[in-house]
Amino acid sequence: MSKVSKPKREGKLLENIDDDVMLINKLKQEVVKKSDTKIETEEFPDGEETANDDCTDKDDWKKDSGFYDGIDPKAFRQYELACDRVKDFYEEQHTKQTVAYNIQARINFKTRVRAKMTIWEGLEKLNKLLDESDPDTELSQIDHALQTAEAIRRDGKPRWFQLVGLIHDLGKLLYFFDSKGQWDVVGDTFPVGCKYSAKIIFPGSFQKNPDLKNPLYNTKYGIYQKHCGLDKVMLSWGHDEYMYHIAKLNSTLPQEALAMIRYHSFYPWHQEGAYTYLMDEHDKMMLEAVRAFNKYDLYSKIDENYNVDDLKKYYLELIDEYFPEKVIDF
């Protein structure tokens, strides 16, 4: 695999606000705890744990290579460094991500075909997005996808895990289709229809969200029930939810892979321990998978970048292995 020079900073389809959101999504919290660690949070008074003790030898994805053990977690997700544009973004997101909007977004997803193309064609289209303010990388979207996938491949993870690394951000294609702006494409995700957790970034910015004053939505459980399972919870609409539904409909990826795609921006849950009272037993297993993936998403940007042509054949075969219908309805 040959290194290539970093791409020139030319062109940009996302406004600067999205660049800053991408910056913020790589900053602050501590490194993901190992899978047998308890979630310790005042939001979960029942004293329940999220560790999964059902590990088997076939679960190679659970083995930690330790490659990123030397990473300084304080260099990531430092929200206190956020500029005004990032705070303005989250105020807009937190104001407009209502239950009503999320229901409509899902109706739109089920009733519209935005484009017909292969996964690789989607990656090439997404490659037009360039995060110009990211301090950790000047790479395009496809280069970040390859970095993540190659880091997972380097650590000997299963092929499906590698594919998740390649496609986890592919849902950002929403920006080219029927998104309303940045607020329903990028940013940390959170449940709608119940009380907003103090663990969400900038929790005070929900003040203008009409759901905050709706008695159906502003209690701890809201429209949900205790331990109902996250599959029954509406997370704020964006690239995670969009790509999760695309993969669920069109791929043979295992449940762990789908969880990695759906929850990788759900930082209040997988890093801060919020909303554990909505989890069921299945979610406890999926949390372990999301945490296993998260470090590759965050830390692979410090690794070398790769020549796309050198890797294309390998990943085309990998895509075909799990997406039997080559042309996908996006």
Side-chain angles (χ1 to χ4, degrees), residues 162-189:
Q162 299 169 33
L163 183 57
V164 170
L166 187 72
I167 67 173
H168 71 283
D169 277 342
L170 189 55
K172 291 179 184 178
L173 287 170
L174 267 178
Y175 186 79
F176 298 102
F177 303 139
D178 53 3
S179 70
K180 303 297 183 181
Q182 305 303 319
W183 59 270
D184 62 349
V185 178
V186 298
D188 287 4
T189 59

Side-chain angles (χ1 to χ4, degrees), residues 57 61 63 89 123 165 187 243 245 251 256 272 302 325:
D57 292 338
W61 62 269
K63 297 177 182 177
F89 163 82
L123 288 167
M243 191 59 207
H245 287 291
S251 79
E256 291 86 357
E272 291 297 322
I302 66 173
E325 297 293 331

Side-chain angles (χ1 to χ4, degrees), residues 12-16 18-19 22 129-130 141 175 182 186:
K12 177 175 69 172
L13 294 182
L14 289 183
E15 293 105 345
N16 289 335
D18 183 51
D19 299 331
M22 292 295 293
L129 304 183
L130 182 62
Q141 295 292 314
Y175 186 79
Q182 305 303 319
V186 298

Side-chain angles (χ1 to χ4, degrees), residues 230-249:
L230 295 180
D231 283 345
K232 297 180 177 65
V233 173
M234 278 195 300
L235 295 181
S236 53
W237 184 255
H239 74 278
D240 305 58
E241 283 286 287
Y242 176 55
M243 191 59 207
Y244 160 72
H245 287 291
I246 292 290
K248 185 178 180 180
L249 288 171

Side-chain angles (χ1 to χ4, degrees), residues 35-53:
S35 60
D36 60 349
T37 302
K38 296 179 182 179
I39 294 180
E40 298 177 350
T41 172
E42 66 275 11
E43 287 199 8
F44 196 45
D46 299 336
E48 299 167 18
E49 301 178 11
T50 58
N52 172 38
D53 296 324

